[in-house]
Amino acid sequence: MTWISRVRNALAYVTKRETPDNLWHKCKGCGTMVFLKELEENQSVCPHCDFHERIGPAERFEALFDEGYTVLPSPKVAEDPLRFRDQKPYPVRLKAARTATGESDAFINASGTILGRRAVIGVQDFAFMGGSMGQAVGEAFIAGVEAAIGARAPYIVFTASGGARMQEGILSLMQMPRTTVAIEMLHDAGLPYIVVLTDPTSGGVMAAYAMLGDVQIAEPRATLAFTGRRVIENTIREKLPDDFQTSEYYYDHGLVDMVTHRKQLRETLGQLIGLLCEAKKAA
């Protein structure tokens, strides 16, 4: 046996040092490679260009609530009411989304305090089948409204959706009027409804509860649209501005009240809750 063979055989018994394959993240805004830990500590905002990456319910709740918040149970709905099948059966897609996100569906509620003020927050998770709106999302939204009314607290919703869930057909579209009625229930109870539009918010969600807030907030550079840019250009036969369907465009044209950086959201929401709740009491 040669010396190189002895060395090779000895190395086989040495435990290899495993290096995680997720140490870096490529920013979708500027293309810079960012150390993942640094990105997470910066609330998933790129430290180089301020691009806001998409985040899920758990990250939202941790960043906004004071300590001791409670995740509310999600209502149970029929799993596959239409027995829909495309390339894969609908239950298979649901199972894959639940495994990937650890959530039961695309909308999660939690209750707690923001800067000492009571609030219920609902977060739509784009990672779960594109945040698509089905029966589970509609029921969760209504449950969030009911929880807010029960707690005499404002309801704050973070939207992120590609629109209605096609696997549920008309049952998905029916969630639009149902959520609208739920918002009216909230108003009848004298409680504020605040919407934070995040990237992306579109389709049926944009046409329903996403644009009905007492205050409309948007994160920077979020894509906000009811339908696609190409569809609109082909319809009106005109070239649209480059920044069309962005948070900044909506703000400049009066469709949202403010564009707020993710790091400032907690402070902004805390102040809004105080102002709106006092205004409601005075009214």
PDB file of all heavy atoms in Angstrom, residues 16 21 32 35 58 71 131 166 169 178 181 201:
ATOM      1  N   LYS A  16     -16.621  14.575   8.001  1.00  0.00           N
ATOM      2  CA  LYS A  16     -16.581  15.777   7.172  1.00  0.00           C
ATOM      3  C   LYS A  16     -17.324  16.906   7.863  1.00  0.00           C
ATOM      4  O   LYS A  16     -18.371  16.698   8.460  1.00  0.00           O
ATOM      5  CB  LYS A  16     -17.206  15.502   5.814  1.00  0.00           C
ATOM      6  CG  LYS A  16     -16.385  14.568   4.945  1.00  0.00           C
ATOM      7  CD  LYS A  16     -17.009  14.419   3.584  1.00  0.00           C
ATOM      8  CE  LYS A  16     -16.159  13.519   2.708  1.00  0.00           C
ATOM      9  NZ  LYS A  16     -16.749  13.368   1.359  1.00  0.00           N
ATOM     10  N   ASP A  21     -26.127  24.951   3.324  1.00  0.00           N
ATOM     11  CA  ASP A  21     -26.214  25.459   1.967  1.00  0.00           C
ATOM     12  C   ASP A  21     -27.093  26.702   1.871  1.00  0.00           C
ATOM     13  O   ASP A  21     -27.425  27.160   0.788  1.00  0.00           O
ATOM     14  CB  ASP A  21     -26.757  24.378   1.028  1.00  0.00           C
ATOM     15  CG  ASP A  21     -28.111  23.848   1.476  1.00  0.00           C
ATOM     16  OD1 ASP A  21     -28.606  24.326   2.504  1.00  0.00           O
ATOM     17  OD2 ASP A  21     -28.654  22.950   0.793  1.00  0.00           O
ATOM     18  N   THR A  32     -27.470  41.548  -5.012  1.00  0.00           N
ATOM     19  CA  THR A  32     -26.332  41.368  -4.117  1.00  0.00           C
ATOM     20  C   THR A  32     -26.532  40.138  -3.236  1.00  0.00           C
ATOM     21  O   THR A  32     -27.642  39.876  -2.772  1.00  0.00           O
ATOM     22  CB  THR A  32     -26.154  42.609  -3.220  1.00  0.00           C
ATOM     23  OG1 THR A  32     -26.017  43.764  -4.047  1.00  0.00           O
ATOM     24  CG2 THR A  32     -24.939  42.468  -2.318  1.00  0.00           C
ATOM     25  N   PHE A  35     -25.654  37.940   3.529  1.00  0.00           N
ATOM     26  CA  PHE A  35     -25.546  36.910   4.551  1.00  0.00           C
ATOM     27  C   PHE A  35     -26.928  36.707   5.174  1.00  0.00           C
ATOM     28  O   PHE A  35     -27.563  37.664   5.629  1.00  0.00           O
ATOM     29  CB  PHE A  35     -24.525  37.342   5.603  1.00  0.00           C
ATOM     30  CG  PHE A  35     -24.118  36.255   6.555  1.00  0.00           C
ATOM     31  CD1 PHE A  35     -23.906  34.960   6.117  1.00  0.00           C
ATOM     32  CD2 PHE A  35     -23.936  36.532   7.902  1.00  0.00           C
ATOM     33  CE1 PHE A  35     -23.525  33.955   6.996  1.00  0.00           C
ATOM     34  CE2 PHE A  35     -23.563  35.540   8.788  1.00  0.00           C
ATOM     35  CZ  PHE A  35     -23.348  34.251   8.334  1.00  0.00           C
ATOM     36  N   ALA A  58     -45.325  34.162  10.965  1.00  0.00           N
ATOM     37  CA  ALA A  58     -44.508  34.095  12.181  1.00  0.00           C
ATOM     38  C   ALA A  58     -43.580  35.297  12.296  1.00  0.00           C
ATOM     39  O   ALA A  58     -43.459  35.909  13.371  1.00  0.00           O
ATOM     40  CB  ALA A  58     -43.700  32.795  12.207  1.00  0.00           C
ATOM     41  N   VAL A  71     -51.438  33.009  18.805  1.00  0.00           N
ATOM     42  CA  VAL A  71     -51.900  32.648  17.469  1.00  0.00           C
ATOM     43  C   VAL A  71     -53.277  32.009  17.601  1.00  0.00           C
ATOM     44  O   VAL A  71     -53.468  31.062  18.364  1.00  0.00           O
ATOM     45  CB  VAL A  71     -50.917  31.684  16.777  1.00  0.00           C
ATOM     46  CG1 VAL A  71     -51.456  31.254  15.413  1.00  0.00           C
ATOM     47  CG2 VAL A  71     -49.543  32.331  16.619  1.00  0.00           C
ATOM     48  N   GLY A 131     -50.764  32.623  -1.646  1.00  0.00           N
ATOM     49  CA  GLY A 131     -51.688  33.396  -0.821  1.00  0.00           C
ATOM     50  C   GLY A 131     -53.096  33.411  -1.375  1.00  0.00           C
ATOM     51  O   GLY A 131     -53.871  34.321  -1.083  1.00  0.00           O
ATOM     52  N   MET A 166     -58.275  28.921  -7.735  1.00  0.00           N
ATOM     53  CA  MET A 166     -59.068  28.337  -8.822  1.00  0.00           C
ATOM     54  C   MET A 166     -59.601  26.961  -8.470  1.00  0.00           C
ATOM     55  O   MET A 166     -60.647  26.541  -8.988  1.00  0.00           O
ATOM     56  CB  MET A 166     -58.232  28.265 -10.098  1.00  0.00           C
ATOM     57  CG  MET A 166     -57.083  27.279 -10.057  1.00  0.00           C
ATOM     58  SD  MET A 166     -56.283  27.173 -11.661  1.00  0.00           S
ATOM     59  CE  MET A 166     -55.139  25.825 -11.374  1.00  0.00           C
ATOM     60  N   GLY A 169     -63.144  27.409  -7.288  1.00  0.00           N
ATOM     61  CA  GLY A 169     -64.120  27.998  -8.181  1.00  0.00           C
ATOM     62  C   GLY A 169     -64.968  29.098  -7.562  1.00  0.00           C
ATOM     63  O   GLY A 169     -64.468  30.022  -6.927  1.00  0.00           O
ATOM     64  N   ARG A 178     -68.389  38.015   1.377  1.00  0.00           N
ATOM     65  CA  ARG A 178     -68.426  37.609   2.786  1.00  0.00           C
ATOM     66  C   ARG A 178     -67.447  38.428   3.629  1.00  0.00           C
ATOM     67  O   ARG A 178     -67.768  38.861   4.735  1.00  0.00           O
ATOM     68  CB  ARG A 178     -68.103  36.121   2.923  1.00  0.00           C
ATOM     69  CG  ARG A 178     -69.149  35.211   2.296  1.00  0.00           C
ATOM     70  CD  ARG A 178     -68.818  33.747   2.497  1.00  0.00           C
ATOM     71  NE  ARG A 178     -69.109  33.350   3.871  1.00  0.00           N
ATOM     72  CZ  ARG A 178     -68.225  32.763   4.676  1.00  0.00           C
ATOM     73  NH1 ARG A 178     -66.988  32.533   4.246  1.00  0.00           N
ATOM     74  NH2 ARG A 178     -68.554  32.417   5.887  1.00  0.00           N
ATOM     75  N   VAL A 181     -68.816  41.992   4.080  1.00  0.00           N
ATOM     76  CA  VAL A 181     -69.822  42.050   5.142  1.00  0.00           C
ATOM     77  C   VAL A 181     -69.152  42.017   6.516  1.00  0.00           C
ATOM     78  O   VAL A 181     -69.565  42.721   7.449  1.00  0.00           O
ATOM     79  CB  VAL A 181     -70.831  40.885   4.999  1.00  0.00           C
ATOM     80  CG1 VAL A 181     -71.740  40.806   6.219  1.00  0.00           C
ATOM     81  CG2 VAL A 181     -71.655  41.054   3.736  1.00  0.00           C
ATOM     82  N   THR A 201     -49.938  41.957  -3.963  1.00  0.00           N
ATOM     83  CA  THR A 201     -51.371  41.872  -3.666  1.00  0.00           C
ATOM     84  C   THR A 201     -52.122  42.126  -4.963  1.00  0.00           C
ATOM     85  O   THR A 201     -51.948  43.177  -5.580  1.00  0.00           O
ATOM     86  CB  THR A 201     -51.785  42.908  -2.608  1.00  0.00           C
ATOM     87  OG1 THR A 201     -51.078  42.647  -1.388  1.00  0.00           O
ATOM     88  CG2 THR A 201     -53.274  42.813  -2.332  1.00  0.00           C
TER      89      THR A 201
END
